Amino acid sequence: MGAMLALEYFVFGTWKPTMGLVMSQNGLGDKIGLVFIFAAIAAMISPLFVGALADRFFPAQKVFGVLHLAGGALLVLMPQAIVNREGALFVLLLFLFMLFFQPTQAMPNSISFAHLQGRMHVFPYLRALGTGSWIIAGIVVGQGGLSAHPAIFYIAATVSFALGLYSFTLPSTPPLSKGRSFRPLDMIGAGAFPLFRQRKFVVLIACILLTFIPASTYNDYGATYLDAAGVHNVASIMSIGQAAEFVVMLLLPRLLVKFGFRKILVTGALTWILRCVLFLTLTHGQVWLAVTVVALHGVTTDFFMVTIYMYVDRMVAPALRSQAQALVFFFQLGVGSLLGAVAASSIYNSVIGNATTSDLSDWQPIWLVAAAAAVLNALLMVVFLGRDDPDQEQPGGPGAVSQDPQGAGKSPHATEAPGVAGGSDEEDAAPTDAGGSASAPLR
């Protein structure tokens, strides 16, 4: 299981952090946003058919293997499209690849859960192997001088093929929903739609959408900006963010016990503001400041993106937890990523576009808009989220959402974040046991 998670993260960590830099250095800068827009669309539609296959017809590990073999074949074709500056072809190839790859982000978690019965405490350590592998991928690419080279896709393809073949040796994970009726919208968490009756959940979704404006700006264009700021070995520098995320993830359970969900979420939102401000003040050659901004990735990701999964897990009855997690996943990697990519790419294309070089002053409008969205997000959270901890919304309590009368089924291959057990009746109290670990989507 550990090897599966490590290889999965290595595939993504090889090309994702610096793909925008590769495109901008090869005359495809105006297509960066389009690529991420289609990646978000893929995240919204691919679970509808891949989830059905894994849940009802074929063993999960075989579906996982086939997806990676197909994805590897598409990755092999991408470098030539970049070298030839065939932007439309590259966007198409990336979209097709993401249709295959997006569902694999949650499947390693569900496969692991199926075989860790009674040993769930082991999963955070397995998940840590994935983060470590992402870091190694960044170091390999950066120290190899490949941060801006199309060859990163050949590396990713090689590992994807290896993972695809290795998947067929994994223990069998049979389709747990075989023979059950299939409702397509269940794959995006439609069974949890009653959550929209709760103010807190509506606020959380609004905050997710706002957060993805600065998040998409960083994810899609961060490497290109650091290169413009004179930072060398960009892939290696950006891997510092994953290292920080790894450390913060280990600390997060204890921090939740001490401070509670709301304070952690608000801190994550405020850190996004700080990150945008630091990007605005960055000058050419300030590598130390660039490293600081990248290192904040640990807090912005774990305190906000990851904690939201755990927070929502506390808001619903057990029967709807998988549906609720799938719904949050849909809004994060789907709707949020789409809106963020559209906003970020619109500004980037209007001020920089296809230019292979740019002054840092050209980037001011990009980070100002990102900062404004981050400020609005923090204000929403502080004003409307309230001081009540989700411990007061335990299953069976006044705030819990129970299973709908239609019996919206649990999709065993949806993204599921094990919750934090325990509770307190005190205002803004922390959970009494924060030993769980959220299964965050790849970034």
Side-chain angles (χ1 to χ4, degrees), residues 344-355:
S345 65
S346 297
I347 304 171
Y348 177 88
N349 288 340
S350 66
V351 298
I352 296 175
N354 261 333

Side-chain angles (χ1 to χ4, degrees), residues 192-210 304 308 311-312 315 327-328 331 377 380-381 384-385 393 401:
F193 280 178
L195 279 170
F196 283 106
R197 298 169 188 165
Q198 298 191 34
R199 183 190 67 178
K200 287 182 182 178
F201 188 76
V202 174
V203 170
L204 285 176
I205 295 302
C207 289
I208 287 174
L209 300 183
L210 283 169
F304 191 82
I308 278 181
Y311 188 89
V312 171
M315 294 175 66
L327 187 59
V328 174
F331 272 98
N377 171 46
L380 272 179
M381 191 166 290
F384 295 106
L385 192 57
E393 296 176 347
V401 176

Side-chain angles (χ1 to χ4, degrees), residues 32 41 68 103 126 209 222 252 293 310 315 322 331 379:
I32 297 174
I41 294 173
H68 271 289
L126 296 177
L209 300 183
L252 185 59
V293 176
M310 303 170 74
M315 294 175 66
S322 287
F331 272 98
L379 287 174

Side-chain angles (χ1 to χ4, degrees), residues 11-365:
V11 171
F12 212 14
T14 301
W15 64 268
K16 172 65 165 56
T18 61
M19 181 183 67
L21 177 58
V22 172
M23 295 179 67
S24 66
Q25 293 296 307
N26 287 273
L28 299 179
D30 61 333
K31 300 293 191 298
I32 297 174
L34 196 58
V35 164
F36 285 100
I37 288 171
F38 277 103
I41 294 173
M44 293 162 59
I45 64 177
S46 60
L48 296 178
F49 62 90
V50 176
L53 292 176
D55 283 357
R56 289 165 174 77
F57 302 108
F58 303 104
Q61 81 281 359
K62 291 185 178 180
V63 175
F64 185 71
V66 170
L67 291 174
H68 271 289
L69 291 175
L74 290 165
L75 285 168
V76 168
L77 303 176
M78 294 181 191
Q80 197 61 41
I82 293 175
V83 171
N84 294 337
R85 300 194 175 188
E86 298 177 285
L89 176 60
F90 179 74
V91 171
L92 175 62
L93 290 172
L94 211 297
F95 173 65
L96 294 175
F97 168 75
M98 293 305 288
L99 283 175
F100 289 110
F101 184 78
Q102 288 284 23
T104 71
Q105 298 189 49
M107 293 181 73
N109 301 335
S110 57
I111 292 173
S112 298
F113 296 155
H115 297 283
L116 285 176
Q117 318 255 338
R119 295 178 295 147
M120 290 301 291
H121 64 282
V122 175
F123 181 75
Y125 301 103
L126 296 177
R127 171 62 178 78
L129 291 174
T131 301
S133 183
W134 181 297
I135 295 169
I136 293 172
I139 293 173
V140 168
V141 171
Q143 297 305 310
L146 301 174
S147 296
H149 200 288
I152 58 175
F153 293 101
Y154 287 134
I155 300 174
T158 302
V159 179
S160 186
F161 285 133
L163 177 54
L165 295 175
Y166 170 72
S167 299
F168 291 97
T169 70
L170 293 170
S172 181
T173 306
L176 301 181
S177 300
K178 186 175 182 179
R180 290 170 57 180
S181 60
F182 174 61
R183 299 195 304 175
L185 290 181
D186 284 349
M187 304 308 299
I188 62 170
F193 280 178
L195 279 170
F196 283 106
R197 298 169 188 165
Q198 298 191 34
R199 183 190 67 178
K200 287 182 182 178
F201 188 76
V202 174
V203 170
L204 285 176
I205 295 302
C207 289
I208 287 174
L209 300 183
L210 283 169
T211 298
F212 264 90
I213 294 177
S216 293
T217 303
Y218 174 78
N219 293 335
D220 303 358
Y221 300 102
T224 307
Y225 183 69
L226 292 177
D227 181 72
V231 176
H232 301 294
N233 296 329
V234 174
S236 296
I237 294 296
M238 294 195 74
S239 68
I240 294 173
Q242 274 60 50
E245 181 184 345
F246 176 78
V247 173
V248 175
M249 179 72 79
L250 295 178
L251 296 175
L252 185 59
R254 292 184 181 277
L255 293 173
L256 282 170
V257 169
K258 184 173 179 63
F259 298 107
F261 281 96
R262 181 178 178 273
K263 290 185 178 69
I264 294 296
L265 286 169
V266 170
T267 301
L270 293 174
T271 306
W272 268 116
I273 300 175
L274 173 62
R275 202 177 199 190
C276 292
V277 170
L278 291 179
F279 266 127
L280 282 166
T281 60
L282 182 66
T283 59
H284 196 277
Q286 280 187 305
V287 177
W288 67 270
L289 185 55
V291 170
T292 301
V293 176
V294 171
L296 288 175
H297 186 76
V299 177
T300 56
T301 297
D302 292 343
F303 274 35
F304 191 82
M305 304 296 189
V306 172
T307 301
I308 278 181
Y309 280 95
M310 303 170 74
Y311 188 89
V312 171
D313 192 70
R314 305 277 299 199
M315 294 175 66
V316 299
L320 277 185
R321 281 177 175 166
S322 287
Q323 286 284 299
Q325 298 297 338
L327 187 59
V328 174
F329 183 88
F330 176 76
F331 272 98
Q332 276 202 4
L333 265 71
V335 180
S337 293
L338 177 60
L339 294 179
V342 169
S345 65
S346 297
I347 304 171
Y348 177 88
N349 288 340
S350 66
V351 298
I352 296 175
N354 261 333
T356 55
T357 59
S358 59
D359 294 328
L360 294 185
S361 59
D362 297 335
W363 289 78
Q364 295 289 310

